Amino acid sequence: MKSGTVTIYDIAKVSGCSPATVSLALKNDERVAQKTKEKVLKIADELEYRPSYFGRSLITGKSNTIKVVIPDIHNPVFANIVDGIEQYINQTDYHVLLDVTYNSREREQDSFSSLLHKQVDGIIISPIYEKEVTKYIQEKRIDTEKVIYVGIPCSGYDKIHYCTSDSKKGAYMGVKNMIENGCKRIAFLAPTIIKRQGARRKEGYFEALEEFGLVRDKNLVIVCSQNFSEIYQRTSRLVQEYKPDGIFCLYDYATFPVMKAVKDMRLCVPRDLMVTGYDNIDIVEFLDKPLTTVDPHQMEQGYRSAELLIAMLQGNKCAIRNVIEPTLVIRETTRQIQ
Amino acid sequence: MKSGTVTIYDIAKVSGCSPATVSLALKNDERVAQKTKEKVLKIADELEYRPSYFGRSLITGKSNTIKVVIPDIHNPVFANIVDGIEQYINQTDYHVLLDVTYNSREREQDSFSSLLHKQVDGIIISPIYEKEVTKYIQEKRIDTEKVIYVGIPCSGYDKIHYCTSDSKKGAYMGVKNMIENGCKRIAFLAPTIIKRQGARRKEGYFEALEEFGLVRDKNLVIVCSQNFSEIYQRTSRLVQEYKPDGIFCLYDYATFPVMKAVKDMRLCVPRDLMVTGYDNIDIVEFLDKPLTTVDPHQMEQGYRSAELLIAMLQGNKCAIRNVIEPTLVIRETTRQIQ
DNA sequence: TTGTAAGCGTTATCAT
DNA sequence: ATGATAACGCTTACAA
């Protein structure tokens, strides 16, 4: 036996048949006699044969690997998406190559080079710079059957498949719930980090206001950085100057400084002020004041996007738009005091 | 030009030199004339040449890919480790293949097959079933220069490199801090999920008790499942029956039901009871009662483990044991009331 | 049913 | 400084 790797040639030698037959036998091809198959399999097992994926990929042109591109792994939103992807991919014979861009526009584009290198068969990406990425895909004429966006729809190019949840509707539901619980002056707190979905959620916010005949008040729409202390300060000012009776936050994390600011002003949630978040990250259920929030089902988005990509790679046609319905999870921060 | 992929043969044809020269030129080999290099590079660029990693890997036997094996991506502890790994790997020309085992013993072992397949060059693993994995590595005679444990030391086999933080010392610091703030009856709450590190942390707990002349009380050591409601109930019972004045929790997540139980019993943290966690996951800073906790620097562990693995793969000798000092982060749950 | 041989794209060896 | 050729391990026509 050779010192290094065991190849089909080694099996061929021992079994007395040709490499081609061994290859076919290992794939359980019909054309090979049952007896031969058994012999080959037995020898392969004895020699602890492992197929070389490189050799195989070189000739087939497939890597059985997909790339997952996210801006951040720290953020539970993306961790949940990856979780869903892994859950699906684990059931297949594909592998996941992880690429974290740390919000870099350049890295986001670079991530496609492995697709061009044919090092991966497809890409699931949750782009921060969606417009730029979309433009890049168009310019480079990247095969759109190999790409899927997760967590965000694709704008301005109707060839790219995506799987997301309806952000506008989610925000609408969240705001509507506060209105139905008596809120008349609902603020919209939008830290800029997710301009991605922010615009859509704002639409949902406005829609709910309109439906219930509440006036838009510019002063109640706060755009700020995602910095905790900035959110804290902007909230304090907002509450002091414009006295909202509800705050809709663009994502759950932002509610931490918000709640703190409100508490420090000796106001009580939900009595004096209701608060709603977005994402339903798992801890908000166990906070001192369990948070009402919109659940965009990120894990499911991840799972579904993986399912779609694999289906496409296998040549199936899939719907371009895949939208999951968000769910409103009502907890204490919007519970009407009896 | 051929319809499919551009290869070095295409470049050779256009440039007028041989594939061998092209290969060398692209690697910026000394032996190739400057002029030739420039010409080749220019043509490669024009043809948008991308090297085939498969062809390269087939002959070099290296994949420039490492595998990261974690039990769970949902858990911020592992998300932080992966974050650190990504941060380092991003600076290299290696890639990360992610494998989530979902606490399956089988999957943990299977993850090594890709190393045997030579599909990946090395593995960073944070094993749940450390003993079994270690045994597997020994039995299969897996090259220990290609493996590193992160977040947990290797027991019973002194050939496997690991990067972790000193759990015993961390727990010792946490307990000591509570004692110095006046606690006399400190409970140790150990949900079983991390038997991995639990034993070591318990040692640290006992060591601190001894150092300050406090007696061990079996009733103050709670072992239970990681289920939130079970933790809640066990805490309630513990507090009611044995009146501890401090609770050291094995990990931050467990403090959520603990705090809730304490609050529901109308006790006040830290006045009536102090609480300390472990991990320093990012939200605990922004809780209603910011949590005192031990920071094991998971991100750094990830970063360092990646650094070590790559160093080993490049033939460097590395220390087997790599232990990062934990840090105690003191916040309100152990702040002495003046 | 099985064997022969070409080829995937690269690197490595040895000439020139 | 450059070129011809073999080799890596596999799959797949095509031939037997």
Side-chain angles (χ1 to χ4, degrees), chain B residues 3-68:
Chain B
S3 63
T5 327
V6 179
T7 75
I8 52 172
Y9 281 87
D10 299 314
I11 302 179
K13 220 164 284 172
V14 178
S15 68
C17 45
S18 76
T21 307
V22 172
S23 177
L24 291 176
L26 289 172
K27 299 189 97 65
N28 199 19
D29 192 288
E30 293 176 324
R31 291 168 291 179
V32 177
Q34 195 58 36
K35 255 180 136 178
T36 319
K37 276 184 196 169
E38 283 165 15
K39 186 167 55 174
V40 166
L41 245 51
K42 184 154 167 288
I43 294 171
D45 197 49
E46 283 170 8
L47 297 183
E48 297 194 41
Y49 164 79
R50 311 272 170 183
S52 157
Y53 290 154
F54 300 132
R56 184 179 293 171
S57 293
L58 189 55
I59 194 151
T60 62
K62 314 213 82 251
S63 62
N64 272 35
T65 301
I66 63 159
K67 179 171 250 189
V68 173

Side-chain angles (χ1 to χ4, degrees), chain B residues 204-262:
Chain B
Y205 161 73
F206 283 139
E207 186 175 299
L209 292 189
E210 244 154 66
E211 184 176 322
F212 288 87
L214 299 181
V215 286
R216 294 185 185 194
D217 181 345
K218 264 189 188 169
N219 295 314
L220 293 180
V221 175
I222 306 294
V223 176
C224 61
S225 82
Q226 68 271 31
N227 180 277
F228 268 91
S229 62
E230 186 176 340
I231 296 176
Y232 179 94
Q233 283 166 14
R234 296 295 298 268
T235 305
S236 302
R237 194 136 35 100
L238 167 75
V239 172
Q240 199 158 32
E241 295 182 11
Y242 300 105
K243 313 239 177 289
D245 53 12
I247 301 181
F248 183 82
C249 300
L250 212 49
Y251 55 92
D252 287 349
Y253 260 45
T255 64
F256 289 100
V258 165
M259 295 292 285
K260 204 165 194 69
V262 171

Side-chain angles (χ1 to χ4, degrees), chain A residues 39-87:
Chain A
K39 187 168 55 174
V40 167
L41 246 51
K42 184 155 167 286
I43 295 170
D45 197 50
E46 282 170 10
L47 298 183
E48 298 193 40
Y49 165 78
R50 312 272 170 183
S52 156
Y53 291 153
F54 300 132
R56 186 178 293 171
S57 293
L58 191 54
I59 195 156
T60 61
K62 313 214 81 247
S63 62
N64 272 35
T65 301
I66 64 159
K67 180 171 249 187
V68 173
V69 186
I70 53 171
D72 181 8
I73 185 80
H74 208 73
N75 186 329
V77 167
F78 299 114
N80 286 343
I81 289 178
V82 174
D83 194 18
I85 295 173
E86 272 285 340
Q87 283 190 28

